[in-house]
Amino acid sequence: MQTPAASRLPASPSAGRATPPSGDAPLAGILFMLMAVALFSVMDTLAKALTTSFPVAQILLFRAAASLLVLLPLAWAFGGPALVRQVRGAERKLLVAGLLGAAALSCFLMAWRTLPLVEVGAVLFAAPVIVTALSVPLLREPVGLHRWSAVIVGFIGVMVVLRPGGAVFVPEALWAVLGGLCYALWMISLRTAGKAVSPNLVAVTNALIMLALALPLALWVWTPPSLPQATALVGLGIVGGLAQFCLVRAFSLAPAALVAPFDYSYILYATILGYFVFGDLPALSTWIGAGLLTASGLYIIHRERVTARRS
């Protein structure tokens, strides 16, 4: 997925800056972010459609292998041999990030078997909220009353979307929650890895680790695809690779506080694609919960920007 919401890859080392330097191109950064989110929504739509025909491991295999066709040449063009040298000393951080990324996508693939795109996307919007909550024990970062209030509102939003205890609550919703937790931990690992290496390197190593994990499992449960299905599987990976590149470019061209809010445009894309491809229309509770999650996420971004400006 890197899937929707608040950042599927770490921001560039300059992502936390409060004022953009003269080399920034804010409009280009916003356009790259919108393009990334649109591509991710297309990738998620293909993944959801394929979950009914193929095991998770096989989808992960094509997602990783095909994305490398895009990521490797682009990463080399924008980083060159310097990327290889960055691996030394960061192996553990890159490995943890890769494992968490694969775990998050696996959980979301399980959730997509039953849940609409927009509902899983709304749960994914809880990732910035979870990251904020876990920043204290894992990153030892201070979190004030304002952001804790946003965390509470965000978790209320998750409960509204999933409606636990209701007639529509299904076991796949637990996969979405677990995926959101793995995704939040992935974002934290990306934050630590991104301080030491290029985001392009993180994208490539994430795909390589996912490929290594998925290959033996996919061979064990292999389901021969038809030509249209094989095209969709390869297209899923290529679209995902292009989306990751656009995301990295967005954060390299503009401050994170400026481009990150545009990640919430995923709700619009997922609603449109979910309706035309799967016939899904979000329930009122989904809109209410997504609104709470969006508001809490945007407020957290705002508070981080205020804190960065003060420091």
Side-chain angles (χ1 to χ4, degrees), residues 83-96:
L83 290 181
V84 179
R85 293 192 292 269
Q86 290 180 17
V87 174
R88 181 172 298 179
E91 296 93 339
R92 184 175 179 179
K93 294 178 180 178
L94 292 171
L95 177 61
V96 170

Side-chain angles (χ1 to χ4, degrees), residues 32-232:
F32 268 108
M33 188 65 176
L34 290 172
M35 193 182 305
V37 178
L39 289 170
F40 274 125
S41 64
V42 172
M43 183 197 78
D44 294 348
T45 302
L46 288 171
K48 176 176 171 58
L50 292 166
T51 55
T52 58
S53 304
F54 298 97
V56 168
Q58 191 168 344
I59 297 175
L60 288 176
L61 175 66
F62 278 92
R63 165 69 176 88
S67 67
L68 286 171
L69 297 176
V70 176
L71 293 173
L72 279 174
L74 289 175
W76 188 263
F78 283 85
L83 290 181
V84 179
R85 293 192 292 269
Q86 290 180 17
V87 174
R88 181 172 298 179
E91 296 93 339
R92 184 175 179 179
K93 294 178 180 178
L94 292 171
L95 177 61
V96 170
L99 292 174
L100 287 170
L105 182 53
S106 299
C107 291
F108 289 128
L109 288 169
M110 294 297 296
W112 279 325
R113 292 179 186 272
T114 301
L115 297 179
L117 275 177
V118 69
E119 287 194 11
V120 179
V123 174
L124 188 55
F125 283 170
V129 177
I130 300 173
V131 168
T132 300
L134 295 179
S135 292
V136 177
L138 297 183
L139 297 177
R140 303 188 186 279
E141 295 179 353
V143 176
L145 178 62
H146 292 277
R147 281 189 284 178
W148 276 122
S149 300
V151 167
I152 295 173
V153 172
F155 280 116
I156 293 174
V158 173
M159 294 299 102
V160 172
V161 170
L162 295 180
R163 305 178 294 283
V168 296
F169 187 75
V170 292
E172 283 75 8
L174 298 178
W175 283 113
V177 173
L178 181 59
L181 178 60
C182 290
Y183 183 71
L185 292 171
W186 181 54
M187 290 175 65
I188 292 176
S189 70
L190 293 178
R191 183 181 296 184
T192 57
K195 293 178 180 179
V197 300
S198 165
N200 289 312
L201 177 61
V202 178
V204 170
T205 54
N206 267 241
L208 288 172
I209 292 170
M210 187 183 297
L211 179 63
L213 291 173
L215 181 58
L217 296 175
L219 293 177
W220 181 263
V221 295
W222 184 264
T223 300
S226 64
L227 181 59
Q229 290 173 329
T231 302

